[in-house]
Amino acid sequence: MGYMTIVYLHLATVVPAFVLGTVMLVAPKGTPMHKRLGRVYLLLMLVTAAIALILPAQVGPTLLGHFGPIHLLCILVGFSVPRGWLAARRGDIDTHRRTMIRLYFLGLVLAGLFTLTPGRLIHGWLF
């Protein structure tokens, strides 16, 4: 699979995850719709993190010639998704809320801001 195909697959999961995550932040909580959309959101986050791990770092230092600092956010996603889901299942809504807010802002907003740094593909497309 070519590099650009992987980039497009990543965008095909991260963009809907961002939109859905934004909706989830402002929509009423605890409803059946919230629970259904939440499952889709968590699945999208896991898939987008897995795809991101395939993409090599192109800016800054790397580990093994592939992984860069932005890949640490994939690890955050890998821990946050099950933690947030299990907290909701247990009824621990405070942990669920904190975990999901952290996941959104670090896993999507911060990662998205990193893509705007010079030398990265999205920066090149936009600027």
Side-chain angles (χ1 to χ4, degrees), residues 61-116:
T62 62
L63 177 65
L64 304 174
H66 180 86
F67 300 104
I70 198 167
H71 287 104
L72 293 173
L73 296 172
C74 298
I75 296 169
L76 170 87
V77 172
F79 282 103
S80 296
V81 167
R83 182 174 194 251
W85 181 75
L86 289 170
R89 299 275 302 169
R90 284 191 312 269
D92 183 356
I93 301 307
D94 286 338
T95 298
H96 173 72
R97 181 183 301 111
R98 282 192 315 274
T99 303
M100 292 299 99
I101 290 171
R102 188 177 307 123
L103 175 63
Y104 177 82
F105 283 102
L106 295 177
L108 289 170
V109 175
L110 181 64
L113 290 173
F114 280 146
T115 67
L116 298 177

Side-chain angles (χ1 to χ4, degrees), residues 21 24-25 34 47-49 88 106 114:
M24 298 291 289
L25 280 175
H34 176 84
V47 172
T48 200
L106 295 177
F114 280 146

Side-chain angles (χ1 to χ4, degrees), residues 9-10 13-14 41-54 77 81:
L9 285 172
H10 181 61
T13 58
V14 76
Y41 171 69
L42 293 179
L43 180 61
L44 284 169
M45 289 300 292
L46 286 173
V47 172
T48 200
I51 294 169
L53 285 171
I54 299 168
V77 172
V81 167

